[in-house]
Amino acid sequence: MSTAILTGQPVPGSSIEGDLRSLGFDVLIAADAADAERLVAEAPCEQRIALVDARFVGHVHALRLGLTDPRFSLAAVPGAVTAQPDGRVTLTRALARENSAGGGTAVAVDSLPDRIVTALAEDGADVHRPELGSLVAAVPADPQARNEARQAVAEVDDEAVRLKSAVKSRDGFFTTYFISPYSRYIARWCARRGLTPNQVTTASLITALIAAACAATGTRGGFIAAGVLLIASFVLDCTDGQLARYSLQYSTLGAWLDATFDRAKEYAYYAGLALGAARGGDDVWALALGAMILQTCRHVVDFSFNEANHDATANTSPTAALSGRLDSVGWTVWVRRMIVLPIGERWAMIAVLTAVTTPRITFYVLLIGCAFAATYTTAGRVLRSLTRKAQRTDRAAGALADLADNGPLAGLLARGRRASLGGPLVAAVSGTVVLTVSLFSGVTWAPVVGALVYAVAAGQALHRPLKGALDWLVPPLFRAAEYGTVLILAAKADVNGALPAAFGLVAAVAYHHYDTVYRIRGNAGAPPAWLVRAVGGQEGRTLLVTVLAVALTAAQFTVALTVLAVAVALVVLLESIRFWVSAGAPAVHDEGEPA
């Protein structure tokens, strides 16, 4: 139970006490400012505490936004301020100073919560002030102002505002027009029955796994059912975020579930399609693995570019300005959002193609669409990077280095060497080219030599901070090199089970890379160094796979890939679960993929 302390002169007929109790607060009354300070000090330290002016007039949802969002230590709306346990000391200090300055005078003179917010701001405290829009939150100074505020409250339906704000302001065309118009009501239905976003997220995962199982049957009926269930899973996927925003149920576990389950659902569905095709005598595992690699590399491009530029200075360019002008033309916004195949459009396309065509056609169309989208987005970001004069920060360079996922081998091989004259990107490209040529050379041990050269180049690429205009391309190059090596060597093995084993290994490693991304986005830092060492780093895994492919028979190589996939999955999953359910993880709810 949280505690709300009402300050100021009570107003007959006011609903503020009932509103606060409806939001889960235990309401106490302070006779004056000194009494408010005493009540704050006596409140249990593990509880959220709020100071609310008794004269407050406004929408309940305005209070909800200001006083119950778990993501912020300190938050306020006019007439109310709140602190979570980690912000209690700051709030208490500001309250004590205000009382000392005011000599403990009666709080009816003005709004004590607003004075506290001003004091917090003067102290440099980070106080979250939610955007209220048309919602009302005010402390009227006289009866006439109170009547005007009450009339303003009556003119705005805060439930309608709450429903609208549950939907992301920026979303894809399919989601905006075919899902959100009704999924927001499903979210409200879930909220009124006490369901949590995590439960809805789990239901979405289960639905997608059932869809994958239907696709794995290889029958036309199974494919139709799979398409329908995939759309149903996406509806639930939208609902969980809308439920979190509707009821402000943000959590550390929810951040982890929402961030990773989308990938688990999509890639499990790819595997289901491949299994279904195999039942019909068509081997499309290479296409399924290619689709997973392409989609993951697309996301790494997005993540790397955003991390490199989100806090850069002088971060403008003619290309970005043109993009901004195009956003003012309504139809171009939707076209540009659709052609990058965001998750809604992509899943809708996959669902329809599954139901009416074959897995092979589905993958062909998916690969072509994603390749075009990747080319479009990457080209635009390259142009922006070349035309802007951005100064990237040490934090951005550190994030890119963490995304690169270099292990101890790269550091050892590059130790004592001078950085390449061409810079990090040239080193990464050179190593990737050598590795690619070696894989297709036809010489037995060439891939191992190529992987060694690649490991040296990987170390050289991170020899200095990744602050160059195009250095954000280094992590995507490393992803393509590692995943592509596994795909090529498994395909060349040409035995049953090699490509499915490679699919499992890439899925496990991709999970590790996504987990790294979401930790960085949550300001929680990269995974621990021991984890990167334990799974070898991207260059170590690449070298290991090439050695296994050369030293073992095709059948033995398949077994080795399977064992490696299981080992990597166990290590990264256990550490990820430990982190995301711990108290130190950030309380966020992921807003979905950026592409």
Side-chain angles (χ1 to χ4, degrees), residues 122-196:
E122 291 173 351
D123 286 345
D126 186 11
V127 181
H128 172 67
R129 293 177 174 85
E131 291 288 339
L132 297 181
S134 59
L135 295 175
V136 176
V139 180
D142 53 62
Q144 180 179 349
R146 173 171 294 278
N147 289 334
E148 292 173 353
R150 285 175 171 171
Q151 183 177 354
V153 169
E155 291 174 351
V156 176
D157 184 352
D158 71 337
E159 178 60 22
V161 173
R162 187 182 179 190
L163 270 175
K164 183 178 179 180
S165 62
V167 179
K168 286 194 293 187
S169 58
R170 179 183 174 88
D171 225 329
F173 180 85
F174 180 77
T175 304
T176 298
Y177 290 103
F178 293 91
I179 305 296
S180 293
Y182 57 88
S183 61
R184 69 184 73 183
Y185 296 101
I186 299 176
R188 182 171 67 181
W189 182 90
C190 292
R192 290 177 175 177
R193 282 153 184 80
L195 298 177
T196 67

Coordinates of all heavy atoms in Angstrom, one line a residue, residues 122-196:
E122 N 15.3 23.1 -7.9 CA 16.4 23.9 -7.5 C 17.6 23.1 -7.1 O 18.8 23.4 -7.3 CB 16.0 24.9 -6.4 CG 15.1 26.0 -6.9 CD 14.6 26.9 -5.8 OE1 14.8 26.5 -4.6 OE2 13.9 27.9 -6.1
D123 N 17.3 21.9 -6.5 CA 18.3 21.0 -6.1 C 18.9 20.2 -7.2 O 19.9 19.4 -7.0 CB 17.8 20.0 -5.0 CG 17.6 20.7 -3.7 OD1 18.1 21.8 -3.5 OD2 16.9 20.1 -2.8
G124 N 18.3 20.3 -8.4 CA 18.8 19.6 -9.6 C 18.2 18.2 -9.6 O 18.7 17.3 -10.4
A125 N 17.2 17.9 -8.8 CA 16.6 16.5 -8.8 C 15.8 16.3 -10.1 O 15.2 17.3 -10.7 CB 15.6 16.4 -7.6
D126 N 15.8 15.1 -10.6 CA 15.1 14.8 -11.9 C 13.6 14.4 -11.5 O 13.3 13.3 -11.1 CB 15.8 13.6 -12.6 CG 15.1 13.3 -13.9 OD1 14.3 14.1 -14.4 OD2 15.5 12.3 -14.5
V127 N 12.7 15.4 -11.7 CA 11.3 15.2 -11.4 C 10.5 15.0 -12.7 O 10.5 15.9 -13.5 CB 10.7 16.4 -10.6 CG1 9.3 16.1 -10.3 CG2 11.5 16.6 -9.3
H128 N 9.9 13.8 -12.8 CA 9.2 13.5 -14.1 C 7.8 14.3 -14.0 O 7.1 14.2 -13.0 CB 8.9 12.0 -14.2 CG 7.9 11.7 -15.3 ND1 8.3 11.8 -16.6 CD2 6.7 11.1 -15.2 CE1 7.2 11.4 -17.4 NE2 6.3 11.0 -16.6
R129 N 7.5 15.0 -15.1 CA 6.2 15.7 -15.2 C 5.5 15.1 -16.5 O 5.9 15.4 -17.6 CB 6.4 17.2 -15.4 CG 7.0 17.8 -14.1 CD 7.2 19.3 -14.3 NE 7.6 20.0 -13.1 CZ 8.9 20.1 -12.6 NH1 9.8 19.4 -13.3 NH2 9.2 20.7 -11.5
P130 N 4.6 14.2 -16.3 CA 3.9 13.6 -17.5 C 3.2 14.6 -18.3 O 2.7 15.6 -17.8 CB 2.9 12.6 -16.8 CG 2.7 13.2 -15.5 CD 3.9 13.8 -15.0
E131 N 3.1 14.3 -19.6 CA 2.3 15.2 -20.5 C 0.8 14.9 -20.3 O 0.4 13.7 -20.4 CB 2.7 14.8 -22.0 CG 4.1 15.3 -22.4 CD 4.2 16.8 -22.5 OE1 3.1 17.4 -22.7 OE2 5.3 17.3 -22.5
L132 N 0.1 15.9 -19.9 CA -1.3 15.7 -19.5 C -2.3 16.0 -20.7 O -3.4 15.5 -20.7 CB -1.7 16.6 -18.3 CG -0.9 16.3 -17.0 CD1 -1.4 17.3 -16.0 CD2 -1.1 14.9 -16.6
G133 N -1.8 16.7 -21.7 CA -2.7 17.0 -22.8 C -3.9 17.7 -22.4 O -3.9 18.8 -21.7
S134 N -5.1 17.1 -22.7 CA -6.4 17.7 -22.4 C -6.8 17.4 -20.9 O -7.8 17.9 -20.5 CB -7.5 17.3 -23.3 OG -7.6 15.8 -23.3
L135 N -6.0 16.6 -20.2 CA -6.4 16.3 -18.8 C -6.2 17.5 -17.9 O -5.3 18.3 -18.2 CB -5.6 15.1 -18.3 CG -5.8 13.8 -19.0 CD1 -4.8 12.7 -18.5 CD2 -7.2 13.3 -18.8
V136 N -7.0 17.6 -16.9 CA -6.9 18.8 -16.0 C -6.2 18.3 -14.7 O -6.5 17.3 -14.1 CB -8.3 19.3 -15.7 CG1 -8.3 20.4 -14.6 CG2 -9.0 19.8 -17.0
A137 N -5.3 19.2 -14.2 CA -4.7 19.0 -12.9 C -4.4 20.4 -12.4 O -3.6 21.1 -12.9 CB -3.5 18.2 -12.9
A138 N -5.1 20.9 -11.3 CA -5.0 22.3 -10.9 C -5.3 22.4 -9.4 O -6.0 21.5 -8.8 CB -5.9 23.2 -11.7
V139 N -4.8 23.5 -8.8 CA -5.1 23.8 -7.4 C -5.8 25.2 -7.5 O -5.1 26.2 -7.4 CB -3.9 23.8 -6.5 CG1 -4.3 24.2 -5.1 CG2 -3.2 22.5 -6.6
P140 N -7.1 25.3 -7.6 CA -7.8 26.6 -7.7 C -7.6 27.4 -6.5 O -7.6 27.0 -5.4 CB -9.2 26.2 -7.9 CG -9.2 24.8 -8.4 CD -8.0 24.2 -7.7
A141 N -7.4 28.7 -6.7 CA -7.1 29.7 -5.6 C -8.4 30.2 -5.0 O -8.4 30.7 -3.9 CB -6.3 30.8 -6.1
D142 N -9.6 30.1 -5.7 CA -10.8 30.7 -5.2 C -12.0 29.9 -5.7 O -11.8 29.1 -6.7 CB -10.9 32.2 -5.6 CG -10.7 32.4 -7.1 OD1 -11.6 31.9 -7.8 OD2 -9.8 33.1 -7.5
P143 N -13.2 30.1 -5.2 CA -14.3 29.3 -5.6 C -14.6 29.5 -7.1 O -15.0 28.5 -7.8 CB -15.5 29.9 -4.8 CG -14.8 30.4 -3.6 CD -13.5 31.0 -4.0
Q144 N -14.4 30.6 -7.7 CA -14.7 30.8 -9.1 C -13.7 29.9 -10.0 O -14.2 29.2 -10.9 CB -14.6 32.2 -9.6 CG -14.8 32.5 -11.1 CD -14.7 33.9 -11.5 OE1 -14.6 34.8 -10.6 NE2 -14.7 34.2 -12.8
A145 N -12.4 29.9 -9.6 CA -11.5 29.1 -10.3 C -11.8 27.6 -10.1 O -11.6 26.8 -11.1 CB -10.1 29.4 -9.8
R146 N -12.3 27.3 -8.9 CA -12.6 25.9 -8.7 C -13.8 25.5 -9.6 O -13.8 24.4 -10.2 CB -13.0 25.7 -7.2 CG -13.5 24.3 -6.9 CD -13.7 24.1 -5.4 NE -12.4 24.1 -4.8 CZ -11.6 23.1 -4.7 NH1 -12.0 21.9 -5.2 NH2 -10.4 23.1 -4.1
N147 N -14.8 26.3 -9.7 CA -15.9 26.0 -10.6 C -15.5 25.8 -12.0 O -15.9 24.9 -12.8 CB -17.0 27.0 -10.5 CG -17.7 27.0 -9.1 OD1 -17.8 25.9 -8.5 ND2 -18.3 28.1 -8.7
E148 N -14.6 26.7 -12.5 CA -14.1 26.6 -13.8 C -13.3 25.3 -14.1 O -13.4 24.7 -15.1 CB -13.2 27.8 -14.1 CG -14.0 29.1 -14.2 CD -13.1 30.4 -14.3 OE1 -11.9 30.2 -14.3 OE2 -13.6 31.5 -14.5
A149 N -12.5 25.0 -13.1 CA -11.7 23.7 -13.2 C -12.6 22.5 -13.2 O -12.4 21.6 -14.0 CB -10.7 23.6 -12.0
R150 N -13.6 22.5 -12.4 CA -14.6 21.4 -12.4 C -15.3 21.3 -13.7 O -15.5 20.2 -14.2 CB -15.6 21.5 -11.2 CG -15.0 21.2 -9.9 CD -16.0 21.5 -8.8 NE -15.5 21.0 -7.5 CZ -16.0 21.2 -6.3 NH1 -17.1 22.0 -6.3 NH2 -15.5 20.8 -5.2
Q151 N -15.6 22.4 -14.3 CA -16.3 22.4 -15.6 C -15.3 21.9 -16.7 O -15.8 21.1 -17.6 CB -16.7 23.8 -16.0 CG -17.5 23.9 -17.3 CD -18.0 25.3 -17.6 OE1 -17.9 26.2 -16.8 NE2 -18.6 25.5 -18.8
A152 N -14.1 22.2 -16.6 CA -13.1 21.7 -17.5 C -12.9 20.2 -17.4 O -12.8 19.5 -18.4 CB -11.7 22.4 -17.3
V153 N -13.0 19.7 -16.2 CA -12.9 18.3 -15.9 C -14.1 17.6 -16.6 O -14.0 16.5 -17.2 CB -12.9 18.0 -14.4 CG1 -13.1 16.5 -14.2 CG2 -11.6 18.4 -13.8
A154 N -15.3 18.1 -16.4 CA -16.5 17.5 -17.0 C -16.5 17.5 -18.5 O -17.2 16.6 -19.1 CB -17.7 18.3 -16.4
E155 N -15.8 18.4 -19.1 CA -15.8 18.5 -20.6 C -14.9 17.5 -21.2 O -15.0 17.3 -22.5 CB -15.4 19.9 -21.0 CG -16.5 21.0 -20.7 CD -16.0 22.4 -21.0 OE1 -14.8 22.5 -21.3 OE2 -16.8 23.3 -20.9
V156 N -14.0 16.9 -20.5 CA -13.1 15.9 -21.0 C -13.3 14.5 -20.4 O -13.3 14.4 -19.2 CB -11.6 16.4 -20.8 CG1 -10.6 15.3 -21.3 CG2 -11.3 17.7 -21.5
D157 N -13.5 13.5 -21.3 CA -13.6 12.2 -20.8 C -12.2 11.5 -20.6 O -11.5 11.2 -21.6 CB -14.4 11.4 -21.9 CG -14.7 9.9 -21.5 OD1 -14.2 9.5 -20.4 OD2 -15.4 9.2 -22.2
D158 N -11.9 11.5 -19.3 CA -10.5 11.0 -19.1 C -10.3 9.5 -19.5 O -9.2 9.1 -19.8 CB -10.1 11.2 -17.6 CG -10.8 10.3 -16.6 OD1 -11.9 9.8 -16.9 OD2 -10.2 10.2 -15.5
E159 N -11.4 8.7 -19.5 CA -11.3 7.3 -19.9 C -11.0 7.2 -21.4 O -10.2 6.4 -21.8 CB -12.6 6.6 -19.6 CG -12.6 5.1 -20.0 CD -11.5 4.3 -19.4 OE1 -11.0 4.7 -18.3 OE2 -11.2 3.2 -19.9
A160 N -11.6 8.1 -22.2 CA -11.2 8.1 -23.6 C -9.8 8.6 -23.8 O -9.1 8.0 -24.7 CB -12.2 9.1 -24.3
V161 N -9.3 9.5 -23.0 CA -7.9 9.9 -23.1 C -7.0 8.8 -22.7 O -6.0 8.5 -23.3 CB -7.7 11.2 -22.2 CG1 -6.2 11.5 -22.2 CG2 -8.5 12.4 -22.7
R162 N -7.4 8.1 -21.7 CA -6.6 7.0 -21.2 C -6.5 5.9 -22.2 O -5.4 5.3 -22.5 CB -7.2 6.5 -19.9 CG -6.4 5.4 -19.2 CD -7.1 4.9 -17.9 NE -6.4 3.9 -17.2 CZ -6.9 3.2 -16.2 NH1 -8.1 3.4 -15.8 NH2 -6.1 2.3 -15.6
L163 N -7.6 5.6 -22.9 CA -7.6 4.6 -23.9 C -6.7 5.0 -25.1 O -6.0 4.2 -25.7 CB -9.0 4.3 -24.4 CG -9.8 3.2 -23.7 CD1 -11.2 3.2 -24.2 CD2 -9.2 1.8 -23.9
K164 N -6.9 6.2 -25.5 CA -6.1 6.7 -26.6 C -4.6 6.7 -26.3 O -3.8 6.3 -27.2 CB -6.5 8.2 -27.0 CG -5.8 8.7 -28.2 CD -6.3 10.1 -28.5 CE -5.6 10.7 -29.7 NZ -6.1 12.1 -30.0
S165 N -4.2 7.1 -25.1 CA -2.8 7.1 -24.7 C -2.2 5.8 -24.5 O -1.0 5.6 -24.5 CB -2.6 8.0 -23.4 OG -3.3 7.4 -22.3
A166 N -3.1 4.7 -24.4 CA -2.6 3.4 -24.3 C -1.9 2.9 -25.6 O -1.1 1.9 -25.6 CB -3.7 2.4 -23.9
V167 N -2.3 3.5 -26.7 CA -1.7 3.2 -28.0 C -0.5 4.0 -28.3 O -0.5 5.2 -28.1 CB -2.8 3.4 -29.1 CG1 -2.2 3.0 -30.5 CG2 -4.0 2.6 -28.8
K168 N 0.5 3.3 -28.8 CA 1.8 4.0 -29.2 C 1.5 5.2 -30.2 O 0.7 5.0 -31.1 CB 2.8 3.1 -29.8 CG 3.4 2.2 -28.8 CD 4.7 1.5 -29.3 CE 4.4 0.6 -30.5 NZ 5.6 -0.2 -30.9
S169 N 2.1 6.3 -30.0 CA 1.9 7.4 -30.8 C 2.5 7.2 -32.2 O 2.0 7.8 -33.2 CB 2.5 8.7 -30.3 OG 3.9 8.5 -30.1
R170 N 3.5 6.4 -32.3 CA 4.1 6.1 -33.7 C 4.1 4.6 -33.9 O 4.7 3.8 -33.1 CB 5.5 6.6 -33.7 CG 6.2 6.3 -35.0 CD 7.7 6.8 -35.0 NE 8.4 6.4 -36.2 CZ 8.5 7.1 -37.3 NH1 7.8 8.3 -37.4 NH2 9.2 6.7 -38.3
D171 N 3.3 4.1 -34.9 CA 3.2 2.7 -35.1 C 3.0 2.5 -36.6 O 2.9 3.4 -37.4 CB 2.0 2.1 -34.4 CG 2.4 0.8 -33.7 OD1 3.2 0.1 -34.2 OD2 1.8 0.5 -32.6
G172 N 3.1 1.2 -37.0 CA 2.9 0.9 -38.4 C 1.5 1.0 -38.9 O 0.6 1.1 -38.1
F173 N 1.3 1.0 -40.2 CA 0.0 1.2 -40.8 C -0.9 0.0 -40.4 O -2.1 0.3 -40.0 CB 0.2 1.2 -42.4 CG -1.1 1.3 -43.1 CD1 -1.7 2.6 -43.3 CD2 -1.8 0.2 -43.6 CE1 -2.9 2.7 -44.0 CE2 -3.0 0.4 -44.2 CZ -3.6 1.6 -44.4
F174 N -0.4 -1.2 -40.5 CA -1.3 -2.4 -40.2 C -1.7 -2.3 -38.8 O -2.9 -2.5 -38.4 CB -0.5 -3.7 -40.5 CG -1.3 -4.9 -40.2 CD1 -2.3 -5.3 -41.1 CD2 -1.1 -5.6 -39.1 CE1 -3.1 -6.5 -40.8 CE2 -1.8 -6.8 -38.8 CZ -2.8 -7.2 -39.6
T175 N -0.8 -2.0 -37.9 CA -1.1 -2.0 -36.4 C -2.1 -0.9 -36.1 O -3.0 -1.1 -35.4 CB 0.2 -1.8 -35.6 OG1 1.1 -2.9 -35.9 CG2 -0.1 -1.9 -34.1
T176 N -1.8 0.3 -36.7 CA -2.7 1.5 -36.4 C -4.1 1.3 -36.9 O -5.0 1.7 -36.2 CB -2.1 2.7 -37.1 OG1 -0.7 2.9 -36.6 CG2 -2.9 3.9 -36.9
Y177 N -4.3 0.7 -38.1 CA -5.6 0.7 -38.6 C -6.3 -0.7 -38.6 O -7.6 -0.8 -38.7 CB -5.6 1.1 -40.1 CG -5.3 2.6 -40.3 CD1 -4.0 3.0 -40.6 CD2 -6.3 3.5 -40.0 CE1 -3.7 4.4 -40.7 CE2 -6.0 4.9 -40.1 CZ -4.7 5.3 -40.5 OH -4.5 6.6 -40.6
F178 N -5.6 -1.8 -38.3 CA -6.2 -3.1 -38.3 C -6.1 -3.8 -36.9 O -6.8 -4.8 -36.7 CB -5.6 -4.0 -39.3 CG -5.8 -3.6 -40.7 CD1 -5.0 -2.7 -41.4 CD2 -7.0 -4.0 -41.4 CE1 -5.3 -2.3 -42.7 CE2 -7.2 -3.6 -42.7 CZ -6.4 -2.8 -43.3
I179 N -5.3 -3.3 -36.0 CA -5.2 -3.9 -34.7 C -5.6 -3.0 -33.5 O -6.5 -3.3 -32.7 CB -3.7 -4.4 -34.5 CG1 -3.3 -5.3 -35.6 CG2 -3.6 -5.1 -33.1 CD1 -4.0 -6.6 -35.7
S180 N -5.0 -1.8 -33.5 CA -5.2 -0.9 -32.3 C -6.6 -0.4 -32.1 O -7.0 -0.2 -31.0 CB -4.2 0.3 -32.4 OG -2.9 -0.1 -32.2
P181 N -7.4 -0.3 -33.2 CA -8.8 0.2 -33.0 C -9.6 -0.7 -32.0 O -10.5 -0.2 -31.4 CB -9.4 0.2 -34.4 CG -8.2 0.4 -35.3 CD -7.1 -0.3 -34.7
Y182 N -9.2 -2.0 -31.9 CA -10.0 -2.9 -31.0 C -9.1 -3.5 -29.9 O -9.6 -3.8 -28.8 CB -10.7 -4.0 -31.8 CG -9.8 -4.9 -32.6 CD1 -9.1 -6.0 -32.1 CD2 -9.6 -4.6 -33.9 CE1 -8.3 -6.8 -32.8 CE2 -8.8 -5.4 -34.7 CZ -8.1 -6.5 -34.2 OH -7.3 -7.3 -34.9
S183 N -7.8 -3.6 -30.2 CA -6.9 -4.2 -29.1 C -6.9 -3.3 -27.9 O -6.7 -3.8 -26.8 CB -5.5 -4.4 -29.7 OG -4.9 -3.1 -30.0
R184 N -7.1 -2.0 -28.0 CA -7.1 -1.1 -26.8 C -8.2 -1.5 -25.9 O -8.1 -1.4 -24.6 CB -7.2 0.3 -27.2 CG -8.5 0.7 -27.8 CD -8.5 2.2 -28.3 NE -7.7 2.3 -29.5 CZ -7.5 3.5 -30.1 NH1 -8.0 4.6 -29.6 NH2 -6.8 3.6 -31.2
Y185 N -9.3 -1.9 -26.4 CA -10.5 -2.4 -25.6 C -10.2 -3.7 -25.0 O -10.7 -4.0 -23.9 CB -11.7 -2.4 -26.5 CG -12.1 -1.0 -27.0 CD1 -11.9 -0.6 -28.3 CD2 -12.7 -0.1 -26.1 CE1 -12.2 0.6 -28.7 CE2 -13.1 1.2 -26.6 CZ -12.8 1.5 -27.9 OH -13.1 2.8 -28.3
I186 N -9.5 -4.6 -25.7 CA -9.0 -5.8 -25.1 C -8.1 -5.5 -23.9 O -8.2 -6.2 -22.8 CB -8.3 -6.7 -26.1 CG1 -9.2 -7.0 -27.3 CG2 -7.8 -8.0 -25.4 CD1 -8.5 -7.8 -28.4
A187 N -7.2 -4.5 -24.0 CA -6.4 -4.1 -22.9 C -7.2 -3.7 -21.7 O -6.9 -4.0 -20.6 CB -5.4 -3.0 -23.4
R188 N -8.2 -2.8 -22.0 CA -9.0 -2.4 -20.9 C -9.8 -3.5 -20.2 O -9.9 -3.6 -19.0 CB -10.0 -1.3 -21.4 CG -10.9 -0.8 -20.3 CD -11.7 0.4 -20.7 NE -12.8 0.0 -21.7 CZ -13.6 0.9 -22.3 NH1 -13.5 2.2 -21.9 NH2 -14.5 0.5 -23.1
W189 N -10.3 -4.5 -21.0 CA -11.0 -5.6 -20.5 C -10.0 -6.4 -19.6 O -10.4 -6.9 -18.5 CB -11.4 -6.5 -21.7 CG -12.2 -7.7 -21.3 CD1 -13.5 -7.8 -21.1 CD2 -11.7 -9.0 -21.0 NE1 -13.9 -9.1 -20.7 CE2 -12.7 -9.9 -20.6 CE3 -10.4 -9.6 -21.0 CZ2 -12.6 -11.2 -20.3 CZ3 -10.2 -10.9 -20.7 CH2 -11.3 -11.7 -20.4
C190 N -8.8 -6.6 -20.0 CA -7.8 -7.3 -19.2 C -7.5 -6.5 -17.9 O -7.4 -7.1 -16.8 CB -6.5 -7.4 -20.0 SG -6.6 -8.5 -21.4
A191 N -7.4 -5.2 -18.0 CA -7.1 -4.4 -16.8 C -8.2 -4.6 -15.8 O -8.0 -4.7 -14.6 CB -6.9 -2.9 -17.2
R192 N -9.5 -4.5 -16.2 CA -10.6 -4.6 -15.3 C -10.7 -6.0 -14.7 O -11.4 -6.1 -13.7 CB -11.9 -4.2 -16.0 CG -11.9 -2.7 -16.4 CD -13.1 -2.3 -17.2 NE -13.2 -0.9 -17.4 CZ -14.1 -0.3 -18.1 NH1 -15.1 -1.0 -18.7 NH2 -14.1 1.0 -18.3
R193 N -10.1 -7.0 -15.2 CA -10.1 -8.3 -14.6 C -8.8 -8.7 -13.9 O -8.6 -9.8 -13.6 CB -10.5 -9.3 -15.7 CG -12.0 -9.3 -16.1 CD -12.3 -9.7 -17.5 NE -13.7 -9.6 -17.7 CZ -14.3 -8.4 -18.0 NH1 -13.6 -7.3 -18.1 NH2 -15.6 -8.4 -18.2
G194 N -8.0 -7.7 -13.7 CA -6.8 -7.9 -13.0 C -5.7 -8.6 -13.7 O -4.7 -9.1 -13.0
L195 N -5.8 -8.8 -15.0 CA -4.7 -9.4 -15.7 C -3.5 -8.5 -15.9 O -3.7 -7.2 -16.0 CB -5.2 -9.9 -17.1 CG -6.3 -10.9 -17.1 CD1 -6.8 -11.2 -18.6 CD2 -5.9 -12.2 -16.5
T196 N -2.3 -9.0 -15.9 CA -1.1 -8.2 -16.0 C -0.6 -8.3 -17.5 O -0.8 -9.2 -18.2 CB 0.0 -8.7 -15.1 OG1 0.4 -10.0 -15.5 CG2 -0.6 -8.7 -13.6

